[in-house]
């Protein structure tokens, strides 16, 4: 009999995910990792911004003690890579050739300016699935808009269900 844990590990175990996400968007790759995918977090030389997010274990603001990092980065391996350097771009392209997914949360078009956008990377790996997490997509009139929670709730229509009808 196969245990549920082994069943879950096998579901996505043949797949590799490269995660360039810069914030709490790392939860997307975490979900695939929970389903068995091999997740590799690619952090800038300064480390992921999530490592610096409070709260911290025992209130010690150390990059290895962020509870956000512990929760969302569990089950992955990490490397540091400066994708803005020539050598970093070469290594990134090499990693992409054997990846199945690439998650990123940069501003629209940023990776393309580094010649690491979908058009360039899909030439190296035509089967690559690239997941770009932005508030309003990669194109269109709102692509450069910020998207904190309140904006998402308002534009998604959820806010009309909150508050009282007799006041703002």
């Amino acid at each position: 009999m196969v245990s549920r844990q082994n069943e879950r590990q096998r579901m996505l175990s043949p797949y590799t995910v490269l995660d360039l996400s810069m914030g709490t968007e790392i939860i997307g790759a975490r979900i695939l990792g929970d389903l068995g995918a091999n997740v590799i977090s690619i952090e800038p030389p300064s480390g992921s911004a999530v490592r610096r997010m409070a709260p911290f274990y025992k209130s010690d603001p150390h990059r290895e003690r962020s509870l956000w990092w512990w929760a969302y980065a569990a089950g992955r391996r990490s490397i540091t890579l400066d994708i803005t350097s020539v050598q970093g771009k070469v290594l990134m392209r090499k990693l992409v050739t054997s990846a199945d997914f690439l998650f990123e949360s940069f501003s629209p078009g940023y990776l393309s300016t580094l010649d690491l956008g979908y058009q360039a990377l899909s030439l190296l790996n035509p089967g690559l699935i690239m997941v770009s997490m932005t508030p309003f997509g990669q194109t269109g009139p709102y692509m450069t808009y910020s998207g904190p929670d309140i904006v998402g709730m308002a534009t998604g229509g959820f806010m009309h269900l909150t508050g009282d009808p007799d006041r703002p």
Side-chain angles (χ1 to χ4, degrees), residues 43-72:
E43 302 181 49
S46 60
S48 172
V50 180
R51 290 181 181 272
R52 295 182 288 282
M53 291 177 67
F56 296 97
Y57 178 68
K58 294 190 176 182
S59 300
D60 179 12
H62 185 275
R63 60 183 278 152
E64 298 299 330
R65 293 180 172 254
S66 166
L67 298 180
W68 277 95
W69 180 256
W70 286 0
Y72 291 124

Side-chain angles (χ1 to χ4, degrees), residues 27-126:
I27 193 170
R30 162 71 196 260
I31 292 168
L32 292 169
D34 286 347
L35 294 170
N38 173 30
V39 179
I40 303 168
S41 197
I42 300 173
E43 302 181 49
S46 60
S48 172
V50 180
R51 290 181 181 272
R52 295 182 288 282
M53 291 177 67
F56 296 97
Y57 178 68
K58 294 190 176 182
S59 300
D60 179 12
H62 185 275
R63 60 183 278 152
E64 298 299 330
R65 293 180 172 254
S66 166
L67 298 180
W68 277 95
W69 180 256
W70 286 0
Y72 291 124
R76 66 177 66 203
R77 295 175 292 155
S78 293
I79 63 169
T80 56
L81 185 62
D82 182 0
I83 62 170
T84 63
S85 73
V86 173
Q87 185 180 13
K89 290 176 191 179
V90 169
L91 291 171
M92 185 66 203
R93 288 184 189 106
K94 197 176 281 190
L95 286 168
V96 163
T97 62
S98 61
D100 299 289
F101 298 90
L102 174 74
F103 281 59
E104 65 94 4
S105 62
F106 294 106
S107 296
Y110 176 72
L111 286 177
S112 293
T113 66
L114 300 175
D115 201 27
L116 295 173
Y118 180 73
Q119 282 191 322
L121 298 180
S122 66
L123 292 175
L124 300 171
N125 181 349

